[in-house]
Amino acid sequence: MGEYHELIRNFDKIRDYMRDFYIYGFKSRSDFTRKSARTYDNEKRRIESYMGEYMKWEYTKTGKNLFISMDCARLPLNPLYAAWKSKTFTGNDIMLHFYLLDILGKDSRLSIENLTDLICSRSGQVFDPQTVRNKCKEYADLGIIKAEKQKKALLYSLSDNTFNQLLQSAPGLGEAVKFFQGSVAFGEIGSFIMDNQRLENDRFTFKHYYAAHTLEDGILLDLLSAIRNSCAIEFVNVNESGTRVSTFNGIPVKVFVSAATGRRYLCLYKTKEKRFFNYRLDHIKEVSLKDFCETAGQHQTDLENNLDRVFGVSFGGQNRKEIVCMKLYVNEKTDGFILDRLIREGQGGEVLRLEKNTYLYTKEVFDSNDMSPWIKTFTGRIIQLEGTNQTVINRFYKDIKRMKEMYED
Amino acid sequence: MKINNHLFSEVYGCYFTVVKRILEQAEGGLTQAEIESMVQADGFYDSAFHLLPKLFSGEWNLMEHRTDGKYYSRLLSNNLTRPMTDLERAWLKALLTDKRIQLFIDPEEAAALKEVLNEIPPLFLPSDFHFYDSAADGDSYEEKRYIDNFRLILKACESQTPLSILYESGKQNRTRRFVIPYKLNYSSRDDKFRLLGVTCQKGGHFKKITLNLTRILTVEPSADTYSENTEINSTKTFPVACAGALTETSANIKSPFPFYQFFRETKCKEPIVLEISKERNGLERCMLQFASWEKQTEYDEAHDCYVCRIYYDGQDETELLVRVLSFGPVVKVLGPTSFLTQIKERVRNQYRLNTWEEP
């Protein structure tokens, strides 16, 4: 049985547990069946340590429930970024890190032999030149160190790519990092910069912020790399209950994001089916890049040409052209905000004034199912709902009837 | 140039950050207690237990324990800020393609940054993403007036300078307000910035305020306005700490202004209680949709459903109401009474509108 360590080697190990504790928050020890109870205990202990005050617990009939709870609108920084800062390392890693920064920091350009000698004398510990060379190569790959050839020797120095250098060109960059760490993809990278520069976000808060996105950013990075290089991919997809594991392949085209519900999807062109599909990012486990795809650009264009008919993430079934018409009662004196909402959220659907206080919203989409949740947000005002997909229309009326029964006094 | 895709690296790790801060301050020696408190402040909750023995025992050879009982850095430099990685630079380069960057950086500055980051490809592009349900009426980030106002406000947030703001309401009414700016709030769904601040009303009442940036017409430091408005000097209705923070003779705010008086937790007394059925993947949809609010969920074995409590700010009530309605019969509101009454009214109205329409 392994000893418990606070830090981890593999990010995937913590990704699922953290998501479960955060998104669901009602699972007790017995509900975590993926791995052994001991694994659960270790992951729980780690997450408690990373999350600190945001980790809460309560006793329920099924046992003690641990969960991550936070009001995102009050957070200066996403606490789940901590997961990205938990990578384990060896004693040599941390020693070499600081001695390299120390020794190479004074405009030094040193050969591996000189560098090794200095590290050994200053730290009082013997390092093999090959160990130091490997670390230098690793840091050169990361961009921290540069290696320049002088005659036959490679000379190492610190990269001059510092944040302060960029600040000289653009003094507002520090504030920009504070903002963008909470408002664009890969916010954790902004947080890395802030840690290194000792910046704190004391200016911005974020509403409709979905903290769990950060847990998918490793997958997102692979997907964007494939999109950028026009590569086909193969990936492992696990369904929500974790009971079905499938492998899919195709050409990644775009990432769909819901700003309202906090979901992110990979939009994939599947060559065999000759059509687009969306897959939830949090269900994707592994991505491998395959061959260069010559037609990637064409799929991008095809998708762009069809985006206005995708209301959510569905490209529909057999019937690829559906129309939804919603007639609404809008009191023009008091409910102007409803019209604003129709325009703001209606994704370009046509809004017509039929008569005083009566408006008609019409939209053509691939799949009217996608519109159902949004349509229901107008509950209480829908005079009539019509459309070419009668199943969706019928379900709406049935739902209203069920809700009436549900809330009957 | 290929970017190293190592997002998960110890270089960005919490331990490296904590040790860097300790070493940078240990030139003149630090006591064990001082180091412990730094680890407590910047490390994970249990980090002291794992990190300190290695640091104190000399296993990492980064510090030495001298006879005065203090720990000293073995390094010569007291600035251990590492250069940026290519991944960080690629992320910054991506920011330059975002329309909101103009709020922080002038076009000439952006051009200079692009030059410095010339060899680095942006980590992502706006065209990589399709935000399918964000608002169509997002703020106009390219508008000069908007940019100027944003920068003035951002600066005032830092200095806590009171501002005189000419504001146009949704109904086109214009009012001048005295505002002590606190923070800027951004909503990705609405694609809007809002200023959070404290305003003074007639009679010296101070209260928190939220203003849409796009509706702010002009912004000025408030010295003139303040001296003209004698009511603001009235302290009789100030919270005690707030009154102490305002000087009697000028518009200057003594630092720090006690914003906590106004922006502490303002959760409603009773959470919204939802009963979530297992139908149509309701639980998962619900958990994701309400993930950004503080919530608590448990399984109700007797009724084979889930009960979720959402703790919310009163300002969010209408939004939550609409979101709950979007789930239809999959989610049933159990309380609180006022929220339940609103849901019932909407459902009743809808049923009345459609009784003749039943399939």
Side-chain angles (χ1 to χ4, degrees):
Chain A
M1 232 180 298
E3 189 192 339
Y4 167 80
H5 297 283
E6 189 179 42
L7 303 181
I8 52 171
R9 183 157 298 282
N10 182 359
F11 184 78
D12 289 339
K13 205 172 175 181
I14 201 112
R15 181 184 170 205
D16 292 335
Y17 278 96
M18 216 170 207
R19 191 172 181 279
D20 280 349
F21 280 129
Y22 177 56
I23 299 287
Y24 297 100
F26 54 82
K27 293 186 177 178
S28 61
R29 193 174 193 257
S30 55
D31 294 320
F32 285 86
T33 51
R34 279 192 296 264
K35 293 275 171 67
S36 69
R38 186 179 174 79
T39 305
Y40 166 82
D41 287 340
N42 283 345
E43 298 308 331
K44 183 203 80 172
R45 189 173 159 190
R46 271 188 201 105
I47 293 171
E48 279 181 307
S49 180
Y50 300 166
M51 298 307 298
E53 59 180 305
Y54 300 109
M55 200 76 189
K56 312 262 169 71
W57 57 270
E58 62 166 1
Y59 282 106
T60 66
K61 286 171 198 163
T62 54
K64 186 180 175 182
N65 284 7
L66 278 126
F67 56 98
I68 298 169
S69 183
M70 53 201 182
D71 175 2
C72 290
R74 303 181 70 84
L75 297 173
L77 202 72
N78 183 349
L80 301 188
Y81 289 161
W84 291 109
K85 301 172 187 177
S86 64
K87 174 87 187 284
T88 191
F89 55 87
T90 65
N92 276 358
D93 288 329
I94 193 165
M95 277 186 277
L96 289 174
H97 174 83
F98 286 109
Y99 282 109
L100 283 173
L101 290 179
D102 190 39
I103 292 165
L104 296 177
K106 310 267 186 233
D107 299 324
S108 305
R109 292 171 74 230
L110 298 168
S111 68
I112 207 69
E113 290 75 19
N114 289 342
L115 188 54
T116 308
D117 286 348
L118 273 169
I119 291 173
C120 294
S121 69
R122 212 170 283 178
S123 67
Q125 180 166 329
V126 177
F127 284 95
D128 187 273
Q130 189 55 38
T131 308
V132 179
R133 183 179 286 115
N134 288 343
K135 181 54 77 179
C136 285
K137 188 178 179 312
E138 183 192 327
Y139 274 28
D141 282 346
L142 285 171
I144 297 174
I145 278 179
K146 56 182 177 182
E148 291 160 305
K149 214 160 194 181
Q150 197 175 68
K151 291 180 183 171
K152 284 183 181 175
L154 260 186
L155 297 183
Y156 293 95
S157 59
L158 277 192
S159 149
D160 42 21
N161 296 317
T162 65
F163 190 72
N164 282 339
Q165 178 209 15
L166 298 182
L167 277 181
Q168 282 169 14
S169 300
L173 194 61
E175 299 294 287
V177 171
K178 291 178 192 176
F179 167 65
F180 284 108
Q181 60 79 24
S183 59
V184 293
F186 305 104
E188 63 278 357
I189 299 180
S191 160
F192 301 156
I193 295 172
M194 288 168 68
D195 285 346
N196 196 33
Q197 299 300 321
R198 300 208 73 156
L199 292 173
E200 279 183 26
N201 172 25
D202 44 8
R203 301 276 185 279
F204 301 98
T205 56
F206 303 93
K207 202 172 181 190
H208 305 116
Y209 179 73
Y210 292 93
H213 282 174
T214 188
L215 302 173
E216 302 146 19
D217 278 353
I219 295 294
L220 180 63
L221 197 56
D222 290 339
L223 295 176
L224 290 181
S225 174
I227 292 173
R228 191 72 62 251
N229 295 301
S230 303
C231 285
I233 55 164
E234 186 174 278
F235 64 93
V236 175
N237 196 71
V238 182
N239 68 344
E240 188 53 41
S241 56
T243 50
R244 199 173 63 244
V245 179
S246 322
T247 303
F248 296 116
N249 52 56
I251 299 134
V253 184
K254 222 179 231 315
V255 175
F256 277 44
V257 184
S258 165
T261 67
R263 297 187 191 192
R264 295 200 292 189
Y265 299 80
L266 159 69
C267 182
L268 185 82
Y269 181 81
K270 290 176 91 170
T271 322
K272 272 187 194 165
E273 287 86 347
K274 292 185 177 163
R275 54 171 294 185
F276 296 105
F277 288 88
N278 271 309
Y279 293 92
R280 285 259 300 272
L281 247 58
D282 52 332
H283 291 182
I284 298 176
K285 297 297 162 193
E286 291 165 39
V287 179
S288 47
L289 271 59
K290 299 293 177 189
D291 297 337
F292 173 76
C293 174
E294 281 178 2
T295 55
Q298 185 56 48
H299 301 316
Q300 293 272 3
T301 310
D302 291 346
L303 180 65
E304 291 293 342
N305 290 339
N306 285 287
L307 274 180
D308 64 332
R309 272 169 288 170
V310 190
F311 196 86
V313 292
S314 172
F315 291 89
Q318 293 295 320
N319 186 7
R320 308 268 321 269
K321 185 178 174 182
E322 298 184 355
I323 293 173
V324 174
C325 300
M326 174 167 64
K327 196 195 284 183
L328 286 165
Y329 173 80
V330 182
N331 185 322
E332 288 167 355
K333 277 188 184 163
T334 56
D335 299 343
F337 63 94
I338 294 294
L339 289 178
D340 291 344
R341 268 194 64 209
L342 277 177
I343 293 161
R344 190 168 65 236
E345 301 169 8
Q347 300 193 20
E350 186 185 45
V351 180
L352 273 181
R353 184 181 189 267
L354 298 180
E355 56 185 321
K356 189 185 174 196
N357 297 337
T358 306
Y359 287 80
L360 181 69
Y361 167 88
T362 311
K363 172 86 181 152
E364 184 189 316
V365 289
F366 284 140
D367 187 349
S368 30
N369 244 320
D370 256 3
M371 294 183 73
S372 292
W374 182 69
I375 288 169
K376 283 188 203 129
T377 65
F378 294 97
T379 299
R381 304 175 185 280
I382 303 169
I383 299 168
Q384 198 177 358
L385 187 69
E386 285 185 346
T388 50
N389 186 334
Q390 202 52 45
T391 313
V392 171
I393 306 299
N394 289 349
R395 193 191 302 129
F396 170 78
Y397 286 113
K398 275 182 191 155
D399 280 356
I400 296 300
K401 195 178 171 205
R402 278 179 64 190
M403 286 168 83
K404 162 80 167 41
E405 286 159 6
M406 214 160 87
Y407 288 112
E408 238 162 13
D409 291 321
Chain B
M1 181 176 192
K2 194 179 176 305
I3 299 297
N4 185 316
N5 280 1
H6 290 165
L7 192 56
F8 192 45
S9 162
E10 71 272 14
V11 169
Y12 311 119
C14 168
Y15 279 31
F16 275 39
T17 303
V18 176
V19 172
K20 167 188 182 273
R21 290 178 186 174
I22 293 169
L23 292 173
E24 284 179 338
Q25 289 184 47
E27 200 181 22
L30 290 169
T31 65
Q32 184 167 331
E34 284 169 333
I35 294 173
E36 282 168 359
S37 95
M38 289 172 81
V39 175
Q40 206 64 47
D42 294 329
F44 297 135
Y45 198 71
D46 285 342
S47 294
F49 181 70
H50 303 276
L51 186 154
L52 288 174
K54 308 226 175 185
L55 204 58
F56 290 147
S57 68
E59 190 182 327
W60 287 345
N61 284 320
L62 291 166
M63 303 193 87
E64 58 180 331
H65 195 195
R66 293 192 191 157
T67 48
D68 61 1
K70 289 184 176 178
Y71 290 85
Y72 292 80
S73 169
R74 297 177 72 121
L75 311 181
L76 300 181
S77 172
N78 58 6
N79 179 7
L80 297 165
T81 304
R82 60 168 169 76
M84 278 189 297
T85 62
D86 290 341
L87 190 66
E88 290 170 326
R89 295 169 73 221
W91 184 79
L92 289 174
K93 179 86 175 268
L95 304 188
L96 300 179
T97 63
D98 191 299
K99 59 187 176 180
R100 295 164 296 183
I101 195 69
Q102 304 169 75
L103 301 173
F104 304 91
I105 290 169
D106 290 330
E108 312 81 63
E109 294 172 339
L113 280 183
K114 274 182 195 156
E115 185 61 36
V116 179
L117 297 169
N118 186 30
E119 71 209 42
I120 288 280
L123 192 60
F124 54 89
L125 294 169
S127 58
D128 291 330
F129 299 95
H130 171 54
F131 290 84
Y132 58 86
D133 55 6
S134 60
D137 62 346
D139 284 358
S140 311
Y141 304 112
E142 68 287 343
E143 206 180 279
K144 187 178 179 311
R145 184 188 77 187
Y146 188 94
I147 295 172
D148 291 346
N149 288 348
F150 181 92
R151 290 187 184 180
L152 261 168
I153 292 168
L154 186 61
K155 211 168 175 189
C157 285
E158 184 186 357
S159 57
Q160 297 188 359
T161 306
L163 296 170
S164 167
I165 290 176
L166 183 63
Y167 191 72
E168 187 172 84
S169 73
K171 291 176 181 167
Q172 276 78 50
N173 295 327
R174 290 184 176 194
T175 47
R176 186 165 288 282
R177 296 157 191 261
F178 168 87
V179 179
I180 307 161
Y182 175 48
K183 285 185 182 182
L184 284 165
N185 177 273
Y186 177 75
S187 158
S188 52
R189 191 198 66 168
D190 303 336
D191 191 22
K192 280 188 193 312
F193 277 98
R194 295 178 174 95
L195 165 64
L196 310 179
V198 174
T199 187
C200 180
Q201 297 178 306
K202 283 184 179 174
H205 290 278
F206 272 60
K207 69 164 203 174
K208 75 171 180 181
I209 191 171
T210 304
L211 300 175
N212 280 0
L213 245 73
T214 202
R215 291 195 186 143
I216 292 178
L217 303 176
T218 61
V219 183
E220 298 158 18
S222 77
D224 294 343
T225 313
Y226 182 61
S227 58
E228 283 165 13
N229 188 351
T230 51
E231 284 164 344
I232 291 168
N233 276 330
S234 164
T235 58
K236 63 184 177 187
T237 50
F238 287 5
V240 179
C242 176
L246 283 167
T247 63
E248 292 294 320
T249 54
S250 80
N252 294 329
I253 302 295
K254 284 181 189 170
S255 189
F257 183 80
F259 285 112
Y260 65 88
Q261 294 266 0
F262 302 90
F263 291 94
R264 61 188 156 197
E265 296 265 340
T266 50
K267 298 278 183 294
C268 287
K269 281 179 190 162
E270 287 181 80
I272 292 170
V273 186
L274 306 176
E275 184 184 279
I276 305 163
S277 78
K278 290 182 169 174
E279 203 184 337
R280 302 181 201 168
N281 200 20
L283 174 71
E284 215 231 336
R285 287 166 49 216
C286 232
M287 293 297 98
L288 276 170
Q289 175 118 196
F290 298 114
S292 61
W293 278 276
E294 199 171 337
K295 61 177 175 47
Q296 218 171 317
T297 315
E298 62 180 293
Y299 177 57
D300 179 348
E301 209 171 349
H303 298 96
D304 192 27
C305 65
Y306 295 88
V307 176
C308 176
R309 289 177 180 76
I310 300 170
Y311 299 88
Y312 67 107
D313 189 314
Q315 286 187 358
D316 295 341
E317 188 168 272
T318 309
E319 182 182 341
L320 281 162
L321 188 84
V322 162
R323 285 189 183 228
V324 167
L325 282 172
S326 76
F327 285 89
V330 173
V331 169
K332 183 181 179 183
V333 175
L334 302 180
T337 315
S338 61
F339 194 81
L340 183 57
T341 306
Q342 293 180 68
I343 291 275
K344 281 181 175 178
E345 194 190 330
R346 300 243 183 159
V347 172
R348 214 168 23 236
N349 286 346
Q350 187 57 55
Y351 191 73
R352 275 194 205 123
L353 284 168
N354 301 140
T355 41
W356 53 274
E357 197 60 60
E358 274 180 58

